[in-house]
């Protein structure tokens, strides 16, 4: 049995659903569990519904209507109007209507999970009906009945023992009388039946959880790229596809911010030695990139860019050394604010760290530190990580940029850079 995952980009419109159905038809004869995300940018749109509802700006219903229209259009284009899909999708949207009818009494994160999860429930219903209408013997599974989590809404942690047992039993039994099981990524449930979510972009992780629980032969992520590339094709022209990657390399890349796979995806697969294929959804016969335990090969320079970074320079006011106690206080605050540190370094009297630019969190950080330290924050920066760097690759990445911070390990270099404004650049060139 194999697990397929299709992200929002692969089901952004009716032709997307048809393409997914064709990929599945291409694998006729295989037993498949299919994990699907919400269509296109639906999760972002549902997030705005939550915000409008919670802060009562009066536009939640209007925003929800636009999302509904979008889905009904897809159903219409797929030629499924008049079938039971309409009732199915209506029933799901009605659940949000009910929530929006009430006053927002509950916690933001709780409400978020109840509303945003509808995106995956609706898209998986549409996919299920699309497959059935094309003669594919599919069944549908509400993943919330088998994937159990704790109660940390928006970042729920999986309860592995219970999930393992339930996922395996239900998928195996569904696959006894159907070829394909369609289910949702990103969402789960507490044991009290409250819907939870696993964190943004979490559908890859769901597919890895299901692969682990069912001891899948392999997991396949279908994407709008030929496989794992050496850089972001929207930013660089000369990127190449890698045929193979080790789990270790993949985990390092995602740790440094590569968006190609969700960072939590690799561990469950590595633990059971299940290979992961990152494949192009416009070419089902290509195997894309294989990620597995196979021995490390030779890697070309791999570039990962994280935008919108901030450099926080923290220095002691009294010229005492930065000691363990200071660092422990700083990290206490970072953990309280859930700010992830991307790079850091300390000198005798200062401590510098690079974090994602979250305006409100950074202001709180500054406020909390300012009693003891003087704090300077520079924003509008990029963090560039080059794995397996070469001199040429570093030069290329530094071109037209001012390097504010640099850290070099044996096979990884990280730079925090700022664009050099055009006028200054011209003057430099004239020199
Ligand atoms: N729909 C969710 C998101 O956009 C989960 C996913 O696509 O992986 O974050």
């Amino acid at each position: 049995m194999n697990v397929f995952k299709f992200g929002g980009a692969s089901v952004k419109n009716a032709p997307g659903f048809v393409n997914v159905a064709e990929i599945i038809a291409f694998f006729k004869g295989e037993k498949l569990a299919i994990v699907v995300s919400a269509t296109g940018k639906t999760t972002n749109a549902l997030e705005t519904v939550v915000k409008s509802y919670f802060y009562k700006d009066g536009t939640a219903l209007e925003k929800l209507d636009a999302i509904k229209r979008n889905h009904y259009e897809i159903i219409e284009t797929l030629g499924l109007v008049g079938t039971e899909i309409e009732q199915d999708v209506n029933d799901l949207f009605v659940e949000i209507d009910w929530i929006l009818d009430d006053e927002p009494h509950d916690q933001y994160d709780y409400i978020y999970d109840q509303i945003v999860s509808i995106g995956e429930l609706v898209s998986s219903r549409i996919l299920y009906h699309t497959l059935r209408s094309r003669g594919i013997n599919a069944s549908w599974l509400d993943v919330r009945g088998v994937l159990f989590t704790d109660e940390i809404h928006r970042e729920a942690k999986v309860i592995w023992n219970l999930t393992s047992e339930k996922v395996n039993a239900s998928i195996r039994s569904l696959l006894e009388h159907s070829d394909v099981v369609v289910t949702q990524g990103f969402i789960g449930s507490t044991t009290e039946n409250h819907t939870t979510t696993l964190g943004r972009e979490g559908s890859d992780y769901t597919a890895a959880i299901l692969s682990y629980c069912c001891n899948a032969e392999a997991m396949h992520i279908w994407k709008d790229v030929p496989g794992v590339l050496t850089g972001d094709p929207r930013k660089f022209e000369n990127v190449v596809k890698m045929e193979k990657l080790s789990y270790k390399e993949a985990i390092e890349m995602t740790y440094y911010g590569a968006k190609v796979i969700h960072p939590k995806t690799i561990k469950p697969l590595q633990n059971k030695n299940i290979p992961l294929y990152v494949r192009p959804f416009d070419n089902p016969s290509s195997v894309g990139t294989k990620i597995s335990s196979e021995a490390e090969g030779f890697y070309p320079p791999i570039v990962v860019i994280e935008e919108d970074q901030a450099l926080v320079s923290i220095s002691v006011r009294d010229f005492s050394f930065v000691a363990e106690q200071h660092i422990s206080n700083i990290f206490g605050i970072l953990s309280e604010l859930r700010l992830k540190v991307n790079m850091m370094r300390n000198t005798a009297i200062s401590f510098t760290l690079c974090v994602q630019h979250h305006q409100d969190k950074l202001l709180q950080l500054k406020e909390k530190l300012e009693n003891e330290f003087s704090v300077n924050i520079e924003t509008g920066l990029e963090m560039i990580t080059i794995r397996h760097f070469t001199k040429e690759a570093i030069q290329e990445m530094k071109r037209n940029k001012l390097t504010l911070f640099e850290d070099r390990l044996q096979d990884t270099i990280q730079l925090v850079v700022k664009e050099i404004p055009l006028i200054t650049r011209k003057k430099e060139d004239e020199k």
Side-chain angles (χ1 to χ4, degrees), residues 110-128:
Y110 173 81
I111 296 175
Y112 176 103
D113 282 355
Q114 312 317 304
I115 294 180
V116 168
S117 52
I118 297 290
E120 267 68 14
L121 288 163
V122 174
S123 67
S124 62
R125 270 329 262 184
I126 300 180
L127 181 59
Y128 163 74

Side-chain angles (χ1 to χ4, degrees), residues 312-316 330 349-353 369 373-376:
V312 185
S313 309
I314 305 164
S315 14
V316 281
I330 297 169
I349 56 163
S350 76
F351 190 72
T352 306
L353 38 99
L369 287 171
F373 306 97
S374 112
V375 181
N376 182 48

Side-chain angles (χ1 to χ4, degrees), residues 50-56 98-112 114-115:
V50 178
K51 219 178 215 164
S52 294
Y53 166 62
F54 195 80
Y55 295 109
K56 301 190 192 165
W98 285 339
I99 299 177
L100 299 187
D101 265 353
D102 277 344
E103 278 291 297
H105 292 303
D106 293 302
Q107 296 245 323
Y108 191 92
D109 290 353
Y110 173 81
I111 296 175
Y112 176 103
Q114 312 317 304
I115 294 180

Side-chain angles (χ1 to χ4, degrees), residues 154-190:
R154 295 180 72 176
E155 252 178 80
K157 303 270 169 312
V158 177
I159 305 173
W160 280 97
N161 289 348
L162 184 59
T163 299
S164 230
E165 183 195 313
K166 298 275 184 198
V167 164
N168 191 30
S170 83
I171 292 189
R172 296 261 164 217
S173 101
L174 286 169
L175 285 178
E176 264 167 36
H177 50 83
S178 54
D179 295 327
V180 170
V181 178
V182 179
T183 194
Q184 311 76 42
F186 178 54
I187 69 176
S189 168
T190 66

Side-chain angles (χ1 to χ4, degrees), residues 5 7-8 37-38 40 43-44 120 185-186 199-204:
K5 183 259 169 175
S37 302
T43 306
N44 292 352
E120 267 68 14
F186 178 54
R200 286 300 309 264
E201 311 294 335
S203 296
D204 290 353

